[in-house]
Amino acid sequence: QKEVEQDPGPLSVPEGAIVSLNCTYSNSAFQYFMWYRQYSRKGPELLMYTYSSGNKEDGRFTAQVDKSSKYISLFIRDSQPSDSATYLCAMSAGAGKSTFGDGTTLTVKP
Amino acid sequence: DTAVSQTPKYLVTQMGNDKSIKCEQNLGHDTMYWYKQDSKKFLKIMFSYNNKELIINETVPNRFSPKSPDKAHLNLHINSLELGDSAVYFCASSQVPGSLYEQYFGPGTRLTVT
């Protein structure tokens, strides 16, 4: 069983929709939770990170971490065609290696 | 100015060949990484160097050998290439070892082994 499981997708939504992207994990030592966005044929770029449980908001993006359920989410409000990309969750216990989810490909249709 | 750059962008080669991928970062970071992303987008760390010292070495075949001549460069040499090595290889860097929350990725090198 993988340490990090991500909703596989693909996901296709109309412009303006609220998008929910989710990951579950099994390693209770994870403390750092990240979301990366990867456009086609580009490298991943860090979108948001959260330390431990809680919510974090940045513009149209909200990251949620529920350590008790070992569940993290990324919400995108008022989705735009420019949000079309693959979203990767990633987790780390601290210094050392990270573990990525398999990615969810999102398409926002105008 | 590109923060993390990789060369080449595309690499097509035959099985059994030896090839190298180069990475350079101009961010002044101390730590650099190599990741492999397969066709299903799964991103897996291979190696990490901090100040030219190897600190992460995942279960990777011995045919893969990283080399860091200085803090700003991390190269990846692959011997006896196999079909399964076809993937996109990403270089990344961060100031603090393992700090995912400030990791910058290069554009990737798309390797195709025929």
Side-chain angles (χ1 to χ4, degrees), chain B residues 29-32 48-56 68 71 94-97:
Chain B
H29 288 167
D30 286 344
T31 308
M32 296 183 73
S48 176
Y49 269 75
N50 178 246
N51 247 325
K52 301 195 296 175
E53 270 192 53
L54 183 64
I55 58 171
I56 293 175
S68 181
K71 278 187 353 179
S94 67
Q95 182 55 36
V96 177

Side-chain angles (χ1 to χ4, degrees), chain B residues 73-111:
Chain B
H73 296 85
L74 180 62
N75 304 324
L76 183 66
H77 189 76
I78 315 169
N79 288 330
S80 304
L81 278 154
E82 299 177 359
L83 291 177
D85 297 332
S86 296
V88 182
Y89 292 84
F90 287 101
C91 176
S93 74
S94 67
Q95 182 55 36
V96 177
S99 62
L100 272 184
Y101 43 90
E102 54 164 355
Q103 212 164 111
Y104 293 83
F105 283 80
T109 295
R110 189 171 294 271
L111 171 66

Side-chain angles (χ1 to χ4, degrees), chain A residues 4-6 21-25 35 70-73 89 91:
Chain A
V4 178
E5 298 273 3
Q6 184 167 357
L21 302 164
N22 308 295
C23 290
T24 58
Y25 63 95
W35 287 96
K70 297 192 178 71
Y71 189 88
I72 72 169
S73 298
C89 64
M91 307 177 189

Side-chain angles (χ1 to χ4, degrees), chain A residues 5-108:
Chain A
E5 298 273 3
Q6 184 167 357
D7 287 354
L11 205 53
S12 181
V13 301
E15 185 175 352
I18 296 174
V19 176
S20 170
L21 302 164
N22 308 295
C23 290
T24 58
Y25 63 95
S26 57
N27 187 346
S28 53
F30 287 147
Q31 294 188 75
Y32 297 91
F33 304 92
M34 279 70 60
W35 287 96
Y36 280 79
R37 178 175 60 196
Q38 185 176 18
Y39 290 115
S40 182
R41 297 190 175 262
K42 300 282 186 189
E45 55 176 338
L46 181 66
L47 197 56
M48 296 187 74
Y49 83 90
T50 312
Y51 173 71
S52 196
S53 278
N55 292 0
K56 190 170 185 177
E57 192 173 314
D58 184 3
R60 297 183 294 110
F61 298 88
T62 300
Q64 281 187 356
V65 175
D66 182 348
K67 288 188 74 177
S68 61
S69 304
K70 297 192 178 71
Y71 189 88
I72 72 169
S73 298
L74 177 71
F75 296 97
I76 307 174
R77 289 186 300 281
D78 187 25
S79 54
Q80 303 293 311
S82 58
D83 295 328
S84 298
T86 296
Y87 290 80
L88 299 147
C89 64
M91 307 177 189
S92 169
K97 77 179 179 83
S98 54
T99 304
F100 281 80
D102 287 354
T104 303
T105 298
L106 169 69
T107 301
V108 181

